[in-house]
């Protein structure tokens, strides 16, 4: 079937609110499932003792860096493919999707090198506890060197989402999460014929789940009909296509990588107080993913709608997508804030019975969660900037929030005690939101005036 005979894309015709729900709910569900990867690992690993939990908390920045490159590249692919589809330029949409798989392999090679040569030096910076060091090196080495599975699956996922297909990406994530959940206790504690692998078992369970997701995604990509077609017949790497992908993708990678730098810096500040403080931050990031991941799933549903209608020059539908996206995001983040305020002890107790962890974490959770609601609106503006090819604005917002503001503020507040450090999060998020609003108003007065 010729692509020009495919019916009009729903992103240009369907009612916006219903379209956002139909596209976002599967993505929100799949992103929540993705959050299970690290959370499940930490819940089971926490039963081994605080050393194991600290090891995973220290490993988290490297994991976030990996996800930043994978998702950031995918965002670039998503933005380019959706814009080309909006322009009815199917050839370039296909070319961008095909480039996605090649870029996945290149990204994996980088992390293979990091996993082999830099994992041990990384952990030696933070700890002289031999058990924490060994646990961390084992876990991180496996996750990084076997990251090819994650890179390929995520790029395919983003490609399909750019066409409006949200159901299969949800099932890709579900496949990996279920595999990980089933294998975690078996491999960590040695159930049945399997040996007790402890933290190493958590890593093996994670990458096995990613491998199953990748296999499923490849089958769907090549066996089903989509609005884009991936083909390597006569394929040549096109510098312009790569440039266009990373015009949005690179700022997104850097933006998300800043989170890795943030946690690296926060760990350096918190380790001066105690290992428990480091563990609290690690547990917070695992749990807050259940609040932020649905909003990032909403992001994935809203982004192709905005990108498509920006390419189609339809200002009314673009603004409607942004408005409804902000409303849904604020509702989600409000519920998350209430959960962190009302149930902090119960949330922390899932990661072990340490009274010190609960004592330190309760106040931290209530303070940090004040950043959720301003973050909701900030994420939606970031989505707008990325979908319209203005990735540099998103990059600046992340620099402002996580480097220019939060780390210096946290370092300054650390002079007054641990409880004050957590206030850096809501302060930085508020400053970032102000910048996002100013960037948006600039677009309204500039580029968006050209839309009809």
């Amino acid at each position: 079937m010729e692509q020009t005979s495919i019916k009009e894309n729903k992103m240009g015709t369907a009612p916006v609110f219903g379209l956002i729900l139909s596209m976002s709910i599967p993505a929100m569900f799949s992103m929540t499932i993705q959050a299970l990867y690290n959370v499940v690992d930490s819940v089971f690993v926490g039963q081994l003792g605080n050393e194991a939990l600290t090891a995973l908390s220290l490993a988290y920045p490297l994991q976030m860096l990996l996800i930043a490159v994978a998702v950031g590249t995918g965002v670039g692919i998503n933005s380019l493919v959706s814009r080309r589809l909006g322009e009815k330029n199917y050839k370039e949409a296909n070319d961008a999707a095909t480039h996605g798989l090649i870029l996945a392999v290149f990204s994996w090679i980088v992390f293979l090198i990091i996993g082999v040569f830099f994992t041990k030096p990384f952990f030696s910076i933070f700890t002289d506890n031999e058990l924490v060091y060994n646990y961390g090196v084992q876990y991180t080495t496996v996750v990084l060197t076997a990251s090819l599975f994650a890179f390929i699956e995520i790029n395919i996922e983003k490609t399909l989402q750019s066409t409006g297909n949200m159901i299969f990406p949800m099932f890709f994530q579900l496949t990996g999460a279920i595999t990980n959940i089933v294998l975690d206790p078996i491999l960590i504690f040695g159930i049945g014929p399997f040996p007790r692998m402890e933290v190493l078992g958590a890593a093996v369970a994670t990458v096995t789940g990613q491998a199953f997701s990748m296999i499923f995604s490849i089958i769907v990509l090549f066996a089903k009909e989509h609005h884009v077609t991936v083909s390597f017949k006569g394929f040549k790497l096109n510098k312009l296509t790569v440039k266009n992908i990373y015009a949005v993708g690179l700022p997104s990678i850097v933006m998300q990588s800043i989170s890795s730098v943030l946690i690296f810096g926060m760990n350096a500040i918190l380790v001066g107080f105690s290992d428990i403080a480091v563990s609290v931050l690690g547990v917070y990031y695992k749990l807050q993913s259940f609040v932020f991941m649905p909003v990032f799933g909403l992001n994935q549903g809203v982004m192709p709608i905005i990108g498509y209608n920006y390419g189609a020059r339809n200002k009314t539908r673009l603004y409607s997508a942004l408005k409804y996206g902000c409303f849904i995001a604020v509702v989600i983040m409000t519920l998350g804030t209430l959960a962190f305020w009302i149930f902090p002890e119960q949330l922390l107790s899932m990661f072990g019975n340490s009274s010190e962890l609960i004592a330190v974490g309760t106040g931290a959770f209530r303070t940090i969660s004040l950043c959720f609601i301003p973050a909701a609106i900030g994420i939606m503006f970031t989505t707008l900037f990325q979908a319209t090819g203005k990735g540099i604005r998103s990059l600046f917002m992340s620099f402002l929030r996580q480097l220019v503001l939060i780390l210096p503020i946290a370092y300054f507040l650390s002079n007054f005690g641990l409880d004050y450090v957590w206030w850096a999060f809501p302060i930085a998020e508020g400053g970032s939101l102000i910048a996002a609003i100013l960037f948006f108003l600039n677009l309204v007065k500039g580029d968006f005036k050209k839309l009809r």
Side-chain angles (χ1 to χ4, degrees):
M1 179 184 295
E2 293 292 326
Q3 285 176 301
T4 52
S5 68
I6 297 176
K7 64 181 181 180
E8 180 68 23
N9 196 300
K10 62 183 179 181
M11 290 186 289
T13 58
V16 175
F17 186 71
L19 180 63
I20 288 176
L21 291 180
S22 67
M23 291 182 62
S24 296
I25 288 175
M28 292 162 68
F29 182 59
S30 68
M31 292 296 285
T32 303
I33 292 168
Q34 183 178 344
L36 286 174
Y37 274 105
N38 289 328
V39 172
V40 170
D41 284 350
S42 295
V43 167
F44 284 116
V45 164
Q47 311 310 310
L48 299 174
N50 190 61
E51 290 85 0
L53 191 59
T54 300
L56 262 64
S57 296
L58 292 175
Y60 198 51
L62 290 178
Q63 283 185 285
M64 290 190 70
L65 182 61
L66 188 159
I67 296 300
V69 174
V71 173
T73 304
V75 166
I77 296 165
N78 182 305
S79 178
L80 181 58
V81 172
S82 63
R83 280 182 281 141
R84 294 298 179 261
L85 288 175
E87 297 163 0
K88 313 299 183 187
N89 191 337
Y90 297 111
K91 181 178 182 301
E92 290 192 14
N94 293 341
D95 191 50
T98 305
H99 274 73
L101 293 184
I102 302 300
L103 295 176
V105 176
F106 290 161
S107 299
W108 165 67
I109 292 172
V110 173
F111 280 90
L112 174 65
I113 293 171
I114 294 174
V116 172
F117 296 106
F118 297 101
T119 300
K120 291 181 178 180
F122 176 83
F123 278 91
S124 66
I125 295 173
F126 289 100
T127 183
D128 54 7
N129 183 311
E130 185 177 357
L131 188 56
V132 172
Y133 174 85
N134 288 335
Y135 277 153
V137 169
Q138 290 173 6
Y139 183 87
T140 308
T141 300
V142 171
V143 169
L144 296 187
T145 57
S147 58
L148 177 64
F149 309 137
F151 281 115
I152 291 179
E153 186 277 324
I154 289 173
N155 280 13
I156 293 175
E157 176 186 317
K158 300 302 182 188
T159 296
L160 295 184
Q161 287 173 344
S162 70
T163 70
N165 186 336
M166 298 299 186
I167 300 299
F168 277 120
M170 177 184 70
F171 283 114
F172 301 159
Q173 293 287 344
L174 186 61
T175 299
I178 291 176
T179 302
N180 186 40
I181 292 170
V182 170
L183 290 180
D184 256 336
I186 293 174
L187 299 181
I188 291 172
F189 303 113
I191 298 175
F194 295 92
R196 180 183 175 93
M197 300 173 68
E198 298 191 344
V199 172
L200 179 61
V204 173
T206 295
V207 299
T208 302
Q210 292 169 348
F212 279 32
S213 294
M214 181 197 71
I215 293 169
F216 187 12
S217 68
I218 290 174
I219 292 172
V220 169
L221 179 67
F222 290 102
K224 299 287 185 178
E225 182 178 326
H226 310 287
H227 283 281
V228 293
T229 301
V230 172
S231 174
F232 295 99
K233 185 178 181 180
F235 174 79
K236 291 182 179 179
L237 198 65
N238 187 307
K239 291 182 180 179
L240 181 59
T241 301
V242 174
K243 179 181 177 181
N244 287 335
I245 288 173
Y246 282 111
V248 173
L250 185 58
S252 180
I253 289 171
V254 175
M255 180 175 62
Q256 295 182 71
S257 297
I258 294 171
S259 297
S260 178
V261 176
L262 166 63
I263 298 177
F264 182 95
M266 288 297 296
N267 282 343
I269 293 170
L270 295 173
V271 77
F273 290 98
S274 67
D275 284 349
I276 288 293
V278 173
S279 295
V280 165
L281 184 68
V283 169
Y284 161 74
Y285 269 104
K286 303 300 173 64
L287 289 174
Q288 64 94 33
S289 63
F290 282 104
V291 183
F292 277 79
M293 285 300 184
V295 177
F296 291 141
L298 175 66
N299 168 310
Q300 293 183 21
V302 172
M303 181 181 294
I305 298 173
I306 293 177
Y308 185 97
N309 286 287
Y310 182 71
R313 320 303 291 170
N314 191 326
K315 179 165 60 176
T316 300
R317 289 180 65 82
L318 184 153
Y319 281 158
S320 293
L322 176 65
K323 176 181 68 176
Y324 289 130
C326 286
F327 172 75
I328 297 169
V330 168
V331 170
I332 294 170
M333 288 296 200
T334 300
L335 294 174
T337 303
L338 291 174
F340 272 68
W341 267 81
I342 298 172
F343 306 112
E345 296 92 345
Q346 291 85 345
L347 294 172
L348 287 157
S349 64
M350 293 191 302
F351 297 83
N353 296 317
S354 170
S355 58
E356 189 178 358
L357 181 73
I358 294 174
V360 174
T362 297
F365 277 20
R366 286 175 174 160
T367 300
I368 299 174
S369 62
L370 294 174
C371 78
F372 288 178
I373 293 176
I377 302 173
I379 290 170
M380 283 300 106
F381 279 125
T382 297
T383 302
L384 172 73
F385 300 148
Q386 291 173 333
T388 56
K390 313 297 182 183
I392 295 297
R393 299 180 186 226
S394 299
L395 177 61
F396 180 84
M397 285 170 54
S398 288
F399 266 111
L400 183 65
R401 182 175 66 248
Q402 301 185 76
L403 290 182
V404 177
L405 292 179
I406 192 168
L407 281 179
I409 291 172
Y411 180 75
F412 172 74
L413 293 176
S414 68
N415 293 302
F416 302 97
L418 178 59
D419 289 342
Y420 290 89
V421 173
W422 313 119
W423 281 98
F425 287 86
I427 293 171
E429 201 66 61
S432 176
L433 177 58
I434 292 172
I437 293 172
L438 294 175
F439 280 142
F440 171 68
L441 293 176
N442 176 262
L443 281 178
V444 170
K445 297 175 182 178
D447 282 14
F448 290 173
K449 278 192 172 180
K450 303 174 185 177
L451 306 180
R452 62 177 184 271

